[in-house]
Amino acid sequence: MSELRPFDKLPLLNTAGVLLLGSEEGCRERVARALLQAPKPFQVKIHMAPGLPLPPEGEHRRPRFDLVLVLVSLDSQASLTAARASLPRLDPHYFLGKLCFLALGAARPHMVERSAVRKLADTHRSPLLFVQLDRPEDMDCAAQRLVNMLQVSAGLLPGISALYVGSLLQSSLSWD
């Protein structure tokens, strides 16, 4: 049974919640900082954790998570293992436009194969962004893309649902 469900809590007005999952704390903090600094017309609440399950204490203070970002450092095999271990604990509704994978350190030589992360994202029908944390312009661009995805997954764009993201992904996969 999944331990994290997207519709357990009511949404807050003009607010979106993000769960950053990743075994490397420094990477989580950089992504969180970039998300908070990106221009957006709504408030963002960010919760960071190395993986799932989340500890039961503080459950009442946690926001509703509209988007789960799974961070995989291409420099660490443990990062990919932690991501794989967390995914079965997510409710299947997160796989309908409310989950995104971030492969960090994309420009350097790495220990984790890009194809392994791509396969993980494809298996869960979720978008995958390759991001280089060392370049501020790359991080800013990725943060803006994540803000756009968050706006859709939180239902803050009238007429567009999170399912739309999934259909876009399916159509882009069929063009390959």
Side-chain angles (χ1 to χ4, degrees):
M1 181 170 161
S2 57
E3 298 176 13
L4 187 62
R5 293 177 212 63
F7 305 112
D8 276 354
K9 297 182 177 188
L10 292 174
L12 298 174
L13 183 63
N14 207 25
T15 302
V18 177
L19 175 60
L20 289 175
L21 292 177
S23 61
E24 298 191 14
E25 188 174 343
C27 294
R28 287 192 319 251
E29 288 178 4
R30 285 190 225 165
V31 171
R33 194 175 317 117
L35 270 173
L36 292 173
Q37 291 174 351
K40 57 199 157 304
F42 55 93
Q43 183 181 7
V44 175
K45 294 193 180 275
I46 298 176
H47 185 85
M48 296 187 284
L52 292 176
L54 296 176
E57 55 273 355
E59 166 65 30
H60 63 284
R61 291 187 310 237
R62 274 188 215 129
R64 172 179 136 163
F65 299 125
D66 298 301
L67 182 65
V68 175
L69 295 176
V70 179
L71 309 178
V72 178
S73 172
L74 296 178
D75 297 329
S76 167
Q77 187 66 38
S79 178
L80 181 62
T81 304
R84 284 183 177 146
S86 294
L87 291 171
R89 298 180 183 269
L90 281 175
D91 188 83
H93 288 100
Y94 275 109
F95 304 127
L96 301 172
K98 293 181 172 285
L99 176 70
C100 180
F101 291 88
L102 255 64
L104 306 171
R108 300 184 300 266
H110 41 272
M111 295 176 62
V112 176
E113 291 295 321
R114 288 178 175 215
S115 60
V117 182
R118 187 172 287 124
K119 182 178 178 183
L120 187 63
D122 289 346
T123 301
H124 292 89
R125 293 283 190 204
S126 298
L128 168 63
L129 299 177
F130 287 96
V131 179
Q132 187 177 353
L133 291 175
D134 301 335
R135 296 183 46 193
E137 56 273 6
D138 285 350
M139 203 58 234
D140 292 344
C141 180
Q144 194 56 55
R145 290 183 73 186
L146 292 171
V147 164
N148 293 340
M149 288 179 59
L150 181 58
Q151 193 171 11
V152 171
S153 66
L156 298 173
L157 265 177
I160 299 177
S161 75
L163 292 174
Y164 183 69
V165 174
S167 68
L168 284 177
L169 182 65
Q170 286 178 343
S171 66
S172 70
L173 288 175
S174 65
W175 287 98
D176 289 341

